Amino acid sequence: MCTTCGCESEAPRIDDESMARTHTHSPATRRVAVEADILARNNAHAAENRKRFANAACLTLNLVSSPGSGKTTLLVRTLAALKEELPLAVIEGDQETRFDAERIRAVGIPALQINTGKGCHLDAHMLGHALEKLSPPEGGILFVENVGNLVCPSAFDLGEAAKVVILSVTEGEDKPLKYPDIFHASRLMLINKTDLLPHVDFDPEKATAYARRINPQLQAFLLSATSGEGFDLWLGWLREQMTQVKTVRIRQLETQLALLKGGDRDKAGASNHA
Amino acid sequence: MHEMSLAEGILRILEDTARQEAARRITRVTLEIGALANVEIEALRFCFDAAIRDTVAAAAQLDIRVLPGHGWCMPCGRTVPLAALADPCPQCGSFQVQAVGGMEMRIKEIEIE
């Protein structure tokens, strides 16, 4: 239906050319139902990435926060604590510079830097290309440090197992209310820089309560990447997630193996090999 | 700021659809955006206008329908209207409300010639 005049597209054609020009409706106008998710392309890339991580039994975490929350310092300490235990890798997202990847490599962990230029977030397509250069560590953890931004990264699934949001005590405790989307999209919140609590006016309980208004299921740990306080809980969480990822992959492989061996048919006594 | 990425995503879908439908041009685009989708409507309009320049959708009018937010209130055990992620349940005042609707970002339909 023409929205200018309300006529149906099958309406008589106006033959007078000059009339046709003043009347913007063309009989050839038609509606097409699209029903497409605007993020469909990103989500398709994310699904590809997710499959890749699952096949490698790799736990991938998307770390999000404001600039200056101590993400890289937290990462460096985490890597140092786990590097003898698990294969690890890091993909760093920043608008400019390779500083963060260099800090990670100094710990002896492979790291790749993505510079987004004007971009305010990483997307699944960028990450997919990064994975061509840096393979997900088999049976280990890939940390993706997103661009420091509490707004934009929330909408973009990278194919990660979970988003982890980091809030530091030098920021306002009401940040979860000011930037709700990222807290809504995350599964775990780390409140960092607790060594500075005596010097700042920040109530961790209030911050956690605010964050849970947005996301009642959000888990939260308090820690300090400088002193190491509270790290046990965070490392314990990582090990737990890692075990889950491995368990899922082992089950998948066992099912595949059973199928290949024809185990089910043997058990049923219907084997062709008998 | 991510509205530019969204506008580029919209354009890609518009160009694909126009090709499939052998359209000469797109005259109207209707989007459905959830109230809780973290999309700044005015920023999206601005970015859309920038993205469609010199494309098959260059003259398209943009209609945006904002879909209301909904949340599941745990104490009430029912779906309630939710205007913002940080809002309490309008029935019981609890913050134990998980957003369940209003996160859509969809191209509903287009008009082509």
Side-chain angles (χ1 to χ4, degrees), chain A residues 42 46 49-50 53 60-75 89-97 99-101 103-104 112-128 130 142-166 181-182 185-186 234, chain B residues 1-2 5 38:
Chain A
N42 182 73
N49 295 344
R50 188 163 278 124
F53 298 140
T60 303
L61 297 170
N62 181 357
L63 307 186
V64 288
S65 82
S66 327
S69 68
K71 269 199 308 289
T72 313
T73 308
L74 181 121
L75 207 44
V90 176
I91 292 175
E92 285 285 342
D94 277 305
Q95 285 197 316
E96 300 292 347
T97 84
F99 295 166
D100 279 0
R103 277 176 74 186
I104 302 296
L112 187 76
Q113 182 83 47
I114 304 178
N115 283 139
T116 57
K118 301 267 182 292
C120 47
H121 59 269
L122 294 178
D123 64 34
H125 182 235
M126 289 178 206
L127 188 70
L142 172 67
F143 294 96
V144 180
E145 188 181 332
N146 216 313
V147 179
N149 178 344
L150 277 182
V151 184
C152 307
S154 66
F156 294 85
D157 181 9
L158 305 180
E160 72 270 358
K163 287 188 176 75
V164 177
V165 61
I166 297 136
D181 297 274
I182 202 85
S186 298
W234 160 234
Chain B
M1 268 299 284
H2 66 296
S5 304
N38 194 18

Side-chain angles (χ1 to χ4, degrees), chain B residues 92-113:
Chain B
C92 73
S94 162
F95 286 105
Q96 294 280 299
V97 185
Q98 189 79 48
V100 292
M103 275 88 79
E104 301 82 354
M105 294 188 210
R106 219 172 17 226
I107 303 181
K108 182 73 183 158
E109 61 174 25
I110 61 173
E111 238 173 59
I112 56 174
E113 282 179 6

Side-chain angles (χ1 to χ4, degrees), chain A residues 72-82 224-229 231:
Chain A
T72 313
T73 308
L74 181 121
L75 207 44
V76 165
R77 193 172 190 115
T78 306
L79 298 169
L82 292 175
S224 163
T226 310
S227 73
E229 179 193 4
F231 249 66

